[in-house]
Amino acid sequence: MSKKLGFRKALETKVKKSQAAAKKKAISIFTAMSVAHVDDEEPGPGEVRHVEKVLSTGDFYTGQWCDSLPHGNGKFLWTDGCMYVGEWLKGKTMGKGRFSWPSGATYEGEFKSGFMDGKGTYTGSSGDTYKGSWVMNFKHGQGTQSYANGDYHEGEWRRGFQDGHGRYQWKNGNHYIGQWRNGMMNGNGTMIWSNGNRYDGFWEDGFPKGNGKFRWADGSFYVGVWSKDGKEQSGTYYPSGSHSGNLDWDPQQLFLEDLKDCKICPGEKVSIFPSQKMPHWPGMGKGNGGRPRRSSDARLGNYSWSSDANDVSAASEGDLRDENEGVGNLHHEDSDTRGSLPQFKMPMKKQGLTISKGHKNYELMLNLQLGIRHSVGRPGPAITLDLKPSAFDPKEKVWTKFPPEGSKHTPPHQSCDFKWKDYCPVVFRTLRKLFNVDAADYMISICGNDALRELSSPGKSGSFFYLTNDDRYMIKTMKKAEVKVLIRMLPAYYNHVRSFENTLVTKFYGLHCVKLTGAAQKKVRFVIMGNLFCTDYSIHRRFDLKGSSHGRTTAKPESEIDSTTTLKDLDLNYIFRLQKLWYQEFCRQVDRDCDFLEQERIMDYSLLIGFHFREVSTPCTSGVCTPTGNGDCEKADKDKLLLSPSRLSSIRLGISMPARAEKTLRKSDCEAQLVGESTGVIYDVILFFGIIDILQDYDISKKLEHAYKSMQYDPTSISAVDPKQYSKRFRDFIFRIFVEDT
């Protein structure tokens, strides 16, 4: 402390002397003068030297100097007690440095053009600490904040606020994991209390709003539509196996009591930004051919962490730039221009058409949702993974009547009179448990107040596909023959997925039938499956691959192909490089899954692949590609994000897998060449893949198709072949397009 006081006293003395000298010489307020070098000579252009400079305001700079500007390492002290120590570039703080405020607050990290920008740590005078990414003085990107009151937040930030996915931990042990917007819990998220209770569902402006479930530690739960307005609240209570009582519980208690101690700490405001403190050195006032540059400080200077970030009108996600000067260009001066990502027509909205009132299948959707809620919510015996043979009996099905006025077991509804059938309900309930599907989450996804989406056209088989609003589940209508195949192979399927948790075959969650009463007596059978592409990543390319060539191309002009188009074998222009351990596991699992399908006499299945491009391409000629220059830094930052604990926990075989995709090129349009030649252009990608369409057995129709097409085409090129031959051809092809990354 005594050393600091001594230094401050000496500085004040020097400041007073310099101010007197400045007035005497009538130097401008921004004109710098030398106090340390009496034998100064006019430096040459580009010459770097060490100086001590005092401005007439009393501010003091000591450090490296070039072309009349701070350049290199230097220290700047303001008379109000602020101080910067670090790197400078042509008069601006640029690079690594440390800024401290008189209050004791500090920022240590990266600067760009005077702004806190890059990786850095801000420690407030009250004890708040933020460590993470910054863009133009704003917390922006991945970051963690420890609050002075003991709370903690880790996640994504945007323009100074929690925005995106994040986790907030309160001092009392409660915590929230989920989506944020403008510093408030907003979107899908989970609140877990220290007593074991939890809420899973949707939030709006910091409170539950829409579909959600509240679960007690004893296993009982309440599912419904939530709102602070009690008149909008509706739902159903499901007791646990012990049937202990929460029956008199009022859902409004969640808002009045449970969330009372779950307030988000606003954090400490920054008194003034370093960019606002930067001096205006002589020669810096002009740019762009002599035209004065507009300072972006004027736009950012009045903002604090609790300001309305939406007022920064020129800001877009991940790129904040000055509307006149183009501050964003600072991020790209030294960018790597080795290659660029393929251009995509990105979908502006989710796939499919929302089934709203008036849609021809609106009533069918209501019937489906009513039936699922009844099936899943109905109390059942304790789940055991060791199922009895009787559970797989094709006769093991349950019919339930759903009259519009309701019945003893079903609620009143606004749809038509219908019957509902569950096939092998115990087996599918156990499969959902095996696949870690929570019953309440499952109901919310399919039966919530969000409508399903119908994909634009039926598949080749004539089946229709529907997606849940959260993209977790896909619902496919089925022919009676497909239902028979699934029930026939259900025991073997159950044993297979139970034995191999990394299986790539489709995950089935339920098999049902809706039968409309009346004259029509129409039956609609459908299966509920997992959606392979349920992810936060944008899927840039998707392929459906069988290993056959006849007709295996997309009948679309190139101008109509976008990131939602499913391409086929002859459209494939990549091979995929997997890390050694992933590649070995991939080969083992493909063999296991193909053996299972072959034994069940299944053919015509596909490997569905989707991938997300992570960065620019890397041309190479040696076969082993190593990014160079700035690309290394960009790749390292992305790898840190990809390999964060939250990302690592979600990586599984076929799900969110980091890999490399190498571009290939076919020499000709010859169908015999299924896999093209390497081009040496490699992209870092995130892979998603799985084996789909596993309900086609080699029946008489497929045998006839094989015989007919064999007379016209090469028998090895057609899709309809014997299951053993199909399995061999499929594996041979897959093991040519997936290789070990050396």
Side-chain angles (χ1 to χ4, degrees), residues 475-517:
I475 300 166
K476 175 190 175 186
T477 62
M478 301 179 73
K479 295 179 179 178
K480 187 175 182 179
E482 291 179 304
V483 173
K484 287 183 175 180
V485 171
L486 179 53
I487 292 177
R488 185 204 76 203
M489 64 185 285
L490 198 54
Y493 173 84
Y494 178 79
N495 290 330
H496 182 75
V497 298
R498 185 182 176 187
S499 300
F500 305 110
E501 64 176 356
N502 283 332
T503 180
L504 299 175
V505 298
T506 304
K507 290 180 170 61
F508 295 120
Y509 300 120
L511 183 61
H512 312 282
C513 177
V514 168
K515 182 180 180 182
L516 305 180
T517 57

mmCIF file of all heavy atoms in Angstrom, residues 475-517:
data_model
loop_
_atom_site.group_PDB
_atom_site.id
_atom_site.type_symbol
_atom_site.label_atom_id
_atom_site.label_comp_id
_atom_site.label_asym_id
_atom_site.label_seq_id
_atom_site.Cartn_x
_atom_site.Cartn_y
_atom_site.Cartn_z
ATOM 1 N N ILE A 475 -43.135 -39.625 -36.863
ATOM 2 C CA ILE A 475 -44.277 -40.545 -36.877
ATOM 3 C C ILE A 475 -44.531 -40.937 -38.328
ATOM 4 O O ILE A 475 -44.673 -40.069 -39.196
ATOM 5 C CB ILE A 475 -45.515 -39.881 -36.260
ATOM 6 C CG1 ILE A 475 -45.220 -39.489 -34.804
ATOM 7 C CG2 ILE A 475 -46.722 -40.805 -36.328
ATOM 8 C CD1 ILE A 475 -46.224 -38.536 -34.212
ATOM 9 N N LYS A 476 -44.573 -42.234 -38.592
ATOM 10 C CA LYS A 476 -44.719 -42.726 -39.966
ATOM 11 C C LYS A 476 -45.961 -43.610 -40.052
ATOM 12 O O LYS A 476 -46.150 -44.505 -39.226
ATOM 13 C CB LYS A 476 -43.477 -43.538 -40.357
ATOM 14 C CG LYS A 476 -43.569 -44.207 -41.724
ATOM 15 C CD LYS A 476 -42.412 -45.184 -41.949
ATOM 16 C CE LYS A 476 -42.582 -45.930 -43.258
ATOM 17 N NZ LYS A 476 -41.550 -46.986 -43.433
ATOM 18 N N THR A 477 -46.811 -43.339 -41.033
ATOM 19 C CA THR A 477 -47.947 -44.237 -41.266
ATOM 20 C C THR A 477 -47.424 -45.514 -41.923
ATOM 21 O O THR A 477 -46.444 -45.484 -42.669
ATOM 22 C CB THR A 477 -49.007 -43.577 -42.166
ATOM 23 O OG1 THR A 477 -48.437 -43.284 -43.438
ATOM 24 C CG2 THR A 477 -49.534 -42.302 -41.535
ATOM 25 N N MET A 478 -48.078 -46.638 -41.626
ATOM 26 C CA MET A 478 -47.550 -47.933 -42.057
ATOM 27 C C MET A 478 -48.612 -48.778 -42.748
ATOM 28 O O MET A 478 -49.804 -48.672 -42.449
ATOM 29 C CB MET A 478 -47.032 -48.718 -40.834
ATOM 30 C CG MET A 478 -45.943 -48.021 -40.058
ATOM 31 S SD MET A 478 -45.454 -49.014 -38.647
ATOM 32 C CE MET A 478 -44.540 -50.321 -39.442
ATOM 33 N N LYS A 479 -48.133 -49.616 -43.646
ATOM 34 C CA LYS A 479 -49.002 -50.620 -44.235
ATOM 35 C C LYS A 479 -49.131 -51.792 -43.264
ATOM 36 O O LYS A 479 -48.272 -51.999 -42.399
ATOM 37 C CB LYS A 479 -48.411 -51.108 -45.558
ATOM 38 C CG LYS A 479 -48.351 -50.036 -46.637
ATOM 39 C CD LYS A 479 -47.732 -50.585 -47.912
ATOM 40 C CE LYS A 479 -47.699 -49.533 -49.009
ATOM 41 N NZ LYS A 479 -47.048 -50.027 -50.242
ATOM 42 N N LYS A 480 -50.203 -52.560 -43.444
ATOM 43 C CA LYS A 480 -50.433 -53.701 -42.563
ATOM 44 C C LYS A 480 -49.266 -54.686 -42.623
ATOM 45 O O LYS A 480 -48.857 -55.263 -41.598
ATOM 46 C CB LYS A 480 -51.736 -54.395 -42.961
ATOM 47 C CG LYS A 480 -52.165 -55.498 -42.000
ATOM 48 C CD LYS A 480 -53.528 -56.060 -42.400
ATOM 49 C CE LYS A 480 -53.976 -57.136 -41.416
ATOM 50 N NZ LYS A 480 -55.311 -57.681 -41.783
ATOM 51 N N ALA A 481 -48.665 -54.853 -43.824
ATOM 52 C CA ALA A 481 -47.548 -55.794 -43.977
ATOM 53 C C ALA A 481 -46.341 -55.350 -43.152
ATOM 54 O O ALA A 481 -45.627 -56.181 -42.579
ATOM 55 C CB ALA A 481 -47.168 -55.904 -45.452
ATOM 56 N N GLU A 482 -46.107 -54.040 -43.093
ATOM 57 C CA GLU A 482 -44.976 -53.534 -42.305
ATOM 58 C C GLU A 482 -45.202 -53.761 -40.813
ATOM 59 O O GLU A 482 -44.266 -54.077 -40.070
ATOM 60 C CB GLU A 482 -44.770 -52.043 -42.582
ATOM 61 C CG GLU A 482 -44.257 -51.730 -43.974
ATOM 62 C CD GLU A 482 -44.105 -50.236 -44.205
ATOM 63 O OE1 GLU A 482 -45.101 -49.506 -44.036
ATOM 64 O OE2 GLU A 482 -42.991 -49.800 -44.540
ATOM 65 N N VAL A 483 -46.441 -53.589 -40.385
ATOM 66 C CA VAL A 483 -46.765 -53.845 -38.977
ATOM 67 C C VAL A 483 -46.472 -55.298 -38.635
ATOM 68 O O VAL A 483 -45.893 -55.606 -37.580
ATOM 69 C CB VAL A 483 -48.240 -53.491 -38.686
ATOM 70 C CG1 VAL A 483 -48.625 -53.920 -37.273
ATOM 71 C CG2 VAL A 483 -48.477 -51.999 -38.873
ATOM 72 N N LYS A 484 -46.863 -56.194 -39.523
ATOM 73 C CA LYS A 484 -46.620 -57.623 -39.285
ATOM 74 C C LYS A 484 -45.127 -57.919 -39.192
ATOM 75 O O LYS A 484 -44.690 -58.719 -38.349
ATOM 76 C CB LYS A 484 -47.252 -58.457 -40.409
ATOM 77 C CG LYS A 484 -48.776 -58.523 -40.347
ATOM 78 C CD LYS A 484 -49.317 -59.430 -41.446
ATOM 79 C CE LYS A 484 -50.827 -59.606 -41.330
ATOM 80 N NZ LYS A 484 -51.359 -60.490 -42.393
ATOM 81 N N VAL A 485 -44.319 -57.272 -40.055
ATOM 82 C CA VAL A 485 -42.869 -57.492 -40.020
ATOM 83 C C VAL A 485 -42.296 -57.020 -38.695
ATOM 84 O O VAL A 485 -41.490 -57.713 -38.064
ATOM 85 C CB VAL A 485 -42.175 -56.767 -41.199
ATOM 86 C CG1 VAL A 485 -40.658 -56.802 -41.028
ATOM 87 C CG2 VAL A 485 -42.559 -57.413 -42.516
ATOM 88 N N LEU A 486 -42.710 -55.833 -38.249
ATOM 89 C CA LEU A 486 -42.169 -55.296 -36.996
ATOM 90 C C LEU A 486 -42.542 -56.182 -35.808
ATOM 91 O O LEU A 486 -41.697 -56.475 -34.954
ATOM 92 C CB LEU A 486 -42.664 -53.860 -36.778
ATOM 93 C CG LEU A 486 -42.197 -53.178 -35.479
ATOM 94 C CD1 LEU A 486 -40.687 -53.241 -35.322
ATOM 95 C CD2 LEU A 486 -42.672 -51.726 -35.440
ATOM 96 N N ILE A 487 -43.794 -56.643 -35.762
ATOM 97 C CA ILE A 487 -44.208 -57.493 -34.642
ATOM 98 C C ILE A 487 -43.490 -58.843 -34.698
ATOM 99 O O ILE A 487 -43.084 -59.387 -33.665
ATOM 100 C CB ILE A 487 -45.744 -57.683 -34.653
ATOM 101 C CG1 ILE A 487 -46.417 -56.344 -34.327
ATOM 102 C CG2 ILE A 487 -46.170 -58.740 -33.657
ATOM 103 C CD1 ILE A 487 -47.922 -56.381 -34.385
ATOM 104 N N ARG A 488 -43.302 -59.355 -35.921
ATOM 105 C CA ARG A 488 -42.594 -60.635 -36.070
ATOM 106 C C ARG A 488 -41.158 -60.547 -35.564
ATOM 107 O O ARG A 488 -40.652 -61.453 -34.901
ATOM 108 C CB ARG A 488 -42.598 -61.036 -37.547
ATOM 109 C CG ARG A 488 -42.007 -62.412 -37.832
ATOM 110 C CD ARG A 488 -41.502 -62.504 -39.261
ATOM 111 N NE ARG A 488 -40.231 -61.804 -39.433
ATOM 112 C CZ ARG A 488 -39.786 -61.343 -40.599
ATOM 113 N NH1 ARG A 488 -40.522 -61.457 -41.685
ATOM 114 N NH2 ARG A 488 -38.619 -60.736 -40.671
ATOM 115 N N MET A 489 -40.464 -59.435 -35.881
ATOM 116 C CA MET A 489 -39.055 -59.321 -35.526
ATOM 117 C C MET A 489 -38.843 -58.641 -34.169
ATOM 118 O O MET A 489 -37.711 -58.466 -33.726
ATOM 119 C CB MET A 489 -38.297 -58.534 -36.604
ATOM 120 C CG MET A 489 -38.740 -57.084 -36.741
ATOM 121 S SD MET A 489 -37.913 -56.225 -38.130
ATOM 122 C CE MET A 489 -36.296 -55.963 -37.438
ATOM 123 N N LEU A 490 -39.957 -58.280 -33.481
ATOM 124 C CA LEU A 490 -39.843 -57.515 -32.242
ATOM 125 C C LEU A 490 -38.996 -58.203 -31.166
ATOM 126 O O LEU A 490 -38.164 -57.545 -30.523
ATOM 127 C CB LEU A 490 -41.248 -57.183 -31.714
ATOM 128 C CG LEU A 490 -41.350 -56.055 -30.684
ATOM 129 C CD1 LEU A 490 -40.699 -54.781 -31.195
ATOM 130 C CD2 LEU A 490 -42.822 -55.796 -30.339
ATOM 131 N N PRO A 491 -39.138 -59.527 -30.925
ATOM 132 C CA PRO A 491 -38.281 -60.164 -29.907
ATOM 133 C C PRO A 491 -36.791 -60.043 -30.243
ATOM 134 O O PRO A 491 -35.971 -59.718 -29.377
ATOM 135 C CB PRO A 491 -38.748 -61.623 -29.910
ATOM 136 C CG PRO A 491 -40.129 -61.589 -30.456
ATOM 137 C CD PRO A 491 -40.142 -60.477 -31.455
ATOM 138 N N ALA A 492 -36.441 -60.300 -31.511
ATOM 139 C CA ALA A 492 -35.032 -60.206 -31.914
ATOM 140 C C ALA A 492 -34.553 -58.758 -31.867
ATOM 141 O O ALA A 492 -33.415 -58.475 -31.467
ATOM 142 C CB ALA A 492 -34.853 -60.776 -33.322
ATOM 143 N N TYR A 493 -35.430 -57.828 -32.276
ATOM 144 C CA TYR A 493 -35.082 -56.398 -32.232
ATOM 145 C C TYR A 493 -34.804 -55.959 -30.794
ATOM 146 O O TYR A 493 -33.815 -55.274 -30.510
ATOM 147 C CB TYR A 493 -36.228 -55.575 -32.839
ATOM 148 C CG TYR A 493 -36.055 -54.077 -32.695
ATOM 149 C CD1 TYR A 493 -35.287 -53.358 -33.606
ATOM 150 C CD2 TYR A 493 -36.663 -53.385 -31.649
ATOM 151 C CE1 TYR A 493 -35.132 -51.980 -33.476
ATOM 152 C CE2 TYR A 493 -36.512 -52.013 -31.505
ATOM 153 C CZ TYR A 493 -35.739 -51.316 -32.424
ATOM 154 O OH TYR A 493 -35.585 -49.955 -32.278
ATOM 155 N N TYR A 494 -35.695 -56.374 -29.879
ATOM 156 C CA TYR A 494 -35.528 -55.999 -28.468
ATOM 157 C C TYR A 494 -34.200 -56.525 -27.922
ATOM 158 O O TYR A 494 -33.452 -55.788 -27.250
ATOM 159 C CB TYR A 494 -36.699 -56.538 -27.639
ATOM 160 C CG TYR A 494 -36.574 -56.237 -26.174
ATOM 161 C CD1 TYR A 494 -36.902 -54.983 -25.670
ATOM 162 C CD2 TYR A 494 -36.100 -57.203 -25.276
ATOM 163 C CE1 TYR A 494 -36.770 -54.695 -24.317
ATOM 164 C CE2 TYR A 494 -35.956 -56.926 -23.932
ATOM 165 C CZ TYR A 494 -36.296 -55.666 -23.458
ATOM 166 O OH TYR A 494 -36.148 -55.374 -22.118
ATOM 167 N N ASN A 495 -33.909 -57.766 -28.178
ATOM 168 C CA ASN A 495 -32.652 -58.348 -27.683
ATOM 169 C C ASN A 495 -31.435 -57.659 -28.301
ATOM 170 O O ASN A 495 -30.408 -57.469 -27.639
ATOM 171 C CB ASN A 495 -32.603 -59.850 -27.986
ATOM 172 C CG ASN A 495 -33.598 -60.639 -27.142
ATOM 173 O OD1 ASN A 495 -33.915 -60.247 -26.018
ATOM 174 N ND2 ASN A 495 -34.114 -61.731 -27.688
ATOM 175 N N HIS A 496 -31.562 -57.263 -29.568
ATOM 176 C CA HIS A 496 -30.429 -56.619 -30.248
ATOM 177 C C HIS A 496 -30.133 -55.237 -29.650
ATOM 178 O O HIS A 496 -28.984 -54.932 -29.313
ATOM 179 C CB HIS A 496 -30.737 -56.492 -31.745
ATOM 180 C CG HIS A 496 -29.609 -55.895 -32.542
ATOM 181 N ND1 HIS A 496 -28.464 -56.593 -32.855
ATOM 182 C CD2 HIS A 496 -29.448 -54.643 -33.066
ATOM 183 C CE1 HIS A 496 -27.644 -55.810 -33.552
ATOM 184 N NE2 HIS A 496 -28.222 -54.632 -33.690
ATOM 185 N N VAL A 497 -31.171 -54.410 -29.521
ATOM 186 C CA VAL A 497 -30.923 -53.050 -29.010
ATOM 187 C C VAL A 497 -30.557 -53.082 -27.524
ATOM 188 O O VAL A 497 -29.867 -52.189 -27.028
ATOM 189 C CB VAL A 497 -32.135 -52.125 -29.255
ATOM 190 C CG1 VAL A 497 -32.405 -51.981 -30.740
ATOM 191 C CG2 VAL A 497 -33.389 -52.621 -28.531
ATOM 192 N N ARG A 498 -31.004 -54.123 -26.829
ATOM 193 C CA ARG A 498 -30.622 -54.247 -25.422
ATOM 194 C C ARG A 498 -29.151 -54.655 -25.297
ATOM 195 O O ARG A 498 -28.453 -54.212 -24.377
ATOM 196 C CB ARG A 498 -31.513 -55.274 -24.726
ATOM 197 C CG ARG A 498 -31.248 -55.382 -23.221
ATOM 198 C CD ARG A 498 -32.111 -56.433 -22.568
ATOM 199 N NE ARG A 498 -31.771 -56.573 -21.156
ATOM 200 C CZ ARG A 498 -32.255 -57.507 -20.354
ATOM 201 N NH1 ARG A 498 -33.129 -58.399 -20.834
ATOM 202 N NH2 ARG A 498 -31.899 -57.566 -19.095
ATOM 203 N N SER A 499 -28.676 -55.453 -26.232
ATOM 204 C CA SER A 499 -27.299 -55.947 -26.177
ATOM 205 C C SER A 499 -26.289 -54.903 -26.645
ATOM 206 O O SER A 499 -25.157 -54.877 -26.170
ATOM 207 C CB SER A 499 -27.152 -57.212 -27.027
ATOM 208 O OG SER A 499 -28.014 -58.234 -26.567
ATOM 209 N N PHE A 500 -26.704 -54.043 -27.591
ATOM 210 C CA PHE A 500 -25.756 -53.097 -28.186
ATOM 211 C C PHE A 500 -26.321 -51.678 -28.077
ATOM 212 O O PHE A 500 -27.135 -51.269 -28.903
ATOM 213 C CB PHE A 500 -25.493 -53.459 -29.654
ATOM 214 C CG PHE A 500 -25.029 -54.875 -29.846
ATOM 215 C CD1 PHE A 500 -25.854 -55.818 -30.444
ATOM 216 C CD2 PHE A 500 -23.772 -55.285 -29.398
ATOM 217 C CE1 PHE A 500 -25.442 -57.125 -30.617
ATOM 218 C CE2 PHE A 500 -23.354 -56.594 -29.563
ATOM 219 C CZ PHE A 500 -24.186 -57.525 -30.165
ATOM 220 N N GLU A 501 -25.862 -50.949 -27.075
ATOM 221 C CA GLU A 501 -26.414 -49.616 -26.842
ATOM 222 C C GLU A 501 -26.031 -48.629 -27.950
ATOM 223 O O GLU A 501 -26.685 -47.608 -28.129
ATOM 224 C CB GLU A 501 -25.952 -49.066 -25.487
ATOM 225 C CG GLU A 501 -24.459 -48.839 -25.363
ATOM 226 C CD GLU A 501 -24.084 -48.194 -24.035
ATOM 227 O OE1 GLU A 501 -25.016 -47.865 -23.271
ATOM 228 O OE2 GLU A 501 -22.885 -48.015 -23.776
ATOM 229 N N ASN A 502 -24.972 -48.938 -28.717
ATOM 230 C CA ASN A 502 -24.570 -48.061 -29.822
ATOM 231 C C ASN A 502 -25.126 -48.514 -31.162
ATOM 232 O O ASN A 502 -24.621 -48.110 -32.215
ATOM 233 C CB ASN A 502 -23.040 -47.984 -29.916
ATOM 234 C CG ASN A 502 -22.457 -47.077 -28.848
ATOM 235 O OD1 ASN A 502 -23.115 -46.146 -28.386
ATOM 236 N ND2 ASN A 502 -21.229 -47.350 -28.447
ATOM 237 N N THR A 503 -26.163 -49.352 -31.140
ATOM 238 C CA THR A 503 -26.738 -49.825 -32.399
ATOM 239 C C THR A 503 -27.153 -48.645 -33.268
ATOM 240 O O THR A 503 -27.605 -47.603 -32.767
ATOM 241 C CB THR A 503 -27.944 -50.737 -32.146
ATOM 242 O OG1 THR A 503 -28.468 -51.170 -33.404
ATOM 243 C CG2 THR A 503 -29.050 -50.016 -31.375
ATOM 244 N N LEU A 504 -27.001 -48.821 -34.581
ATOM 245 C CA LEU A 504 -27.350 -47.768 -35.527
ATOM 246 C C LEU A 504 -28.742 -47.950 -36.117
ATOM 247 O O LEU A 504 -29.205 -47.094 -36.875
ATOM 248 C CB LEU A 504 -26.317 -47.743 -36.674
ATOM 249 C CG LEU A 504 -24.871 -47.453 -36.250
ATOM 250 C CD1 LEU A 504 -23.926 -47.579 -37.447
ATOM 251 C CD2 LEU A 504 -24.742 -46.069 -35.632
ATOM 252 N N VAL A 505 -29.420 -49.058 -35.787
ATOM 253 C CA VAL A 505 -30.755 -49.284 -36.355
ATOM 254 C C VAL A 505 -31.757 -48.317 -35.730
ATOM 255 O O VAL A 505 -31.576 -47.826 -34.616
ATOM 256 C CB VAL A 505 -31.218 -50.748 -36.175
ATOM 257 C CG1 VAL A 505 -30.296 -51.706 -36.898
ATOM 258 C CG2 VAL A 505 -31.330 -51.114 -34.704
ATOM 259 N N THR A 506 -32.819 -48.069 -36.480
ATOM 260 C CA THR A 506 -33.870 -47.146 -36.048
ATOM 261 C C THR A 506 -34.378 -47.489 -34.651
ATOM 262 O O THR A 506 -34.578 -48.660 -34.318
ATOM 263 C CB THR A 506 -35.047 -47.206 -37.036
ATOM 264 O OG1 THR A 506 -34.563 -46.921 -38.348
ATOM 265 C CG2 THR A 506 -36.126 -46.223 -36.664
ATOM 266 N N LYS A 507 -34.618 -46.454 -33.841
ATOM 267 C CA LYS A 507 -35.202 -46.649 -32.514
ATOM 268 C C LYS A 507 -36.723 -46.497 -32.621
ATOM 269 O O LYS A 507 -37.234 -45.462 -33.040
ATOM 270 C CB LYS A 507 -34.623 -45.642 -31.519
ATOM 271 C CG LYS A 507 -33.163 -45.900 -31.185
ATOM 272 C CD LYS A 507 -32.633 -44.865 -30.201
ATOM 273 C CE LYS A 507 -31.250 -45.256 -29.683
ATOM 274 N NZ LYS A 507 -30.229 -45.351 -30.731
ATOM 275 N N PHE A 508 -37.445 -47.557 -32.236
ATOM 276 C CA PHE A 508 -38.906 -47.551 -32.257
ATOM 277 C C PHE A 508 -39.427 -47.333 -30.833
ATOM 278 O O PHE A 508 -38.981 -47.988 -29.892
ATOM 279 C CB PHE A 508 -39.449 -48.880 -32.797
ATOM 280 C CG PHE A 508 -39.109 -49.143 -34.237
ATOM 281 C CD1 PHE A 508 -38.373 -50.265 -34.598
ATOM 282 C CD2 PHE A 508 -39.536 -48.281 -35.236
ATOM 283 C CE1 PHE A 508 -38.059 -50.518 -35.925
ATOM 284 C CE2 PHE A 508 -39.229 -48.524 -36.570
ATOM 285 C CZ PHE A 508 -38.482 -49.643 -36.919
ATOM 286 N N TYR A 509 -40.399 -46.424 -30.704
ATOM 287 C CA TYR A 509 -40.924 -46.075 -29.382
ATOM 288 C C TYR A 509 -42.388 -46.471 -29.176
ATOM 289 O O TYR A 509 -42.856 -46.501 -28.041
ATOM 290 C CB TYR A 509 -40.797 -44.574 -29.154
ATOM 291 C CG TYR A 509 -39.379 -44.074 -29.213
ATOM 292 C CD1 TYR A 509 -38.993 -43.114 -30.137
ATOM 293 C CD2 TYR A 509 -38.412 -44.564 -28.343
ATOM 294 C CE1 TYR A 509 -37.684 -42.657 -30.197
ATOM 295 C CE2 TYR A 509 -37.105 -44.109 -28.390
ATOM 296 C CZ TYR A 509 -36.751 -43.163 -29.319
ATOM 297 O OH TYR A 509 -35.455 -42.707 -29.373
ATOM 298 N N GLY A 510 -43.109 -46.742 -30.250
ATOM 299 C CA GLY A 510 -44.514 -47.105 -30.092
ATOM 300 C C GLY A 510 -45.117 -47.529 -31.412
ATOM 301 O O GLY A 510 -44.711 -47.056 -32.479
ATOM 302 N N LEU A 511 -46.093 -48.447 -31.343
ATOM 303 C CA LEU A 511 -46.794 -48.940 -32.533
ATOM 304 C C LEU A 511 -48.290 -48.891 -32.232
ATOM 305 O O LEU A 511 -48.740 -49.506 -31.250
ATOM 306 C CB LEU A 511 -46.343 -50.369 -32.859
ATOM 307 C CG LEU A 511 -46.906 -51.026 -34.118
ATOM 308 C CD1 LEU A 511 -46.516 -50.236 -35.372
ATOM 309 C CD2 LEU A 511 -46.428 -52.471 -34.227
ATOM 310 N N HIS A 512 -49.049 -48.165 -33.037
ATOM 311 C CA HIS A 512 -50.446 -47.886 -32.704
ATOM 312 C C HIS A 512 -51.321 -47.927 -33.956
ATOM 313 O O HIS A 512 -50.829 -47.956 -35.082
ATOM 314 C CB HIS A 512 -50.578 -46.504 -32.054
ATOM 315 C CG HIS A 512 -49.600 -46.252 -30.955
ATOM 316 N ND1 HIS A 512 -49.744 -46.758 -29.689
ATOM 317 C CD2 HIS A 512 -48.434 -45.544 -30.941
ATOM 318 C CE1 HIS A 512 -48.722 -46.372 -28.938
ATOM 319 N NE2 HIS A 512 -47.918 -45.636 -29.668
ATOM 320 N N CYS A 513 -52.629 -47.871 -33.706
ATOM 321 C CA CYS A 513 -53.605 -47.837 -34.803
ATOM 322 C C CYS A 513 -54.799 -46.985 -34.379
ATOM 323 O O CYS A 513 -55.273 -47.075 -33.239
ATOM 324 C CB CYS A 513 -54.070 -49.252 -35.153
ATOM 325 S SG CYS A 513 -55.340 -49.324 -36.434
ATOM 326 N N VAL A 514 -55.258 -46.130 -35.288
ATOM 327 C CA VAL A 514 -56.491 -45.360 -35.090
ATOM 328 C C VAL A 514 -57.542 -45.935 -36.038
ATOM 329 O O VAL A 514 -57.297 -46.058 -37.242
ATOM 330 C CB VAL A 514 -56.274 -43.861 -35.386
ATOM 331 C CG1 VAL A 514 -57.609 -43.128 -35.461
ATOM 332 C CG2 VAL A 514 -55.390 -43.232 -34.323
ATOM 333 N N LYS A 515 -58.704 -46.292 -35.481
ATOM 334 C CA LYS A 515 -59.801 -46.821 -36.293
ATOM 335 C C LYS A 515 -60.995 -45.885 -36.158
ATOM 336 O O LYS A 515 -61.531 -45.707 -35.058
ATOM 337 C CB LYS A 515 -60.179 -48.229 -35.822
ATOM 338 C CG LYS A 515 -61.291 -48.877 -36.647
ATOM 339 C CD LYS A 515 -61.607 -50.278 -36.114
ATOM 340 C CE LYS A 515 -62.709 -50.937 -36.913
ATOM 341 N NZ LYS A 515 -63.045 -52.280 -36.378
ATOM 342 N N LEU A 516 -61.361 -45.259 -37.269
ATOM 343 C CA LEU A 516 -62.496 -44.338 -37.259
ATOM 344 C C LEU A 516 -63.789 -45.140 -37.278
ATOM 345 O O LEU A 516 -63.936 -46.074 -38.069
ATOM 346 C CB LEU A 516 -62.429 -43.402 -38.467
ATOM 347 C CG LEU A 516 -61.123 -42.602 -38.618
ATOM 348 C CD1 LEU A 516 -61.185 -41.720 -39.856
ATOM 349 C CD2 LEU A 516 -60.858 -41.762 -37.385
ATOM 350 N N THR A 517 -64.689 -44.779 -36.417
ATOM 351 C CA THR A 517 -65.979 -45.491 -36.378
ATOM 352 C C THR A 517 -66.903 -44.912 -37.440
ATOM 353 O O THR A 517 -66.606 -43.900 -38.058
ATOM 354 C CB THR A 517 -66.621 -45.354 -34.979
ATOM 355 O OG1 THR A 517 -66.764 -43.968 -34.687
ATOM 356 C CG2 THR A 517 -65.762 -46.010 -33.923
#
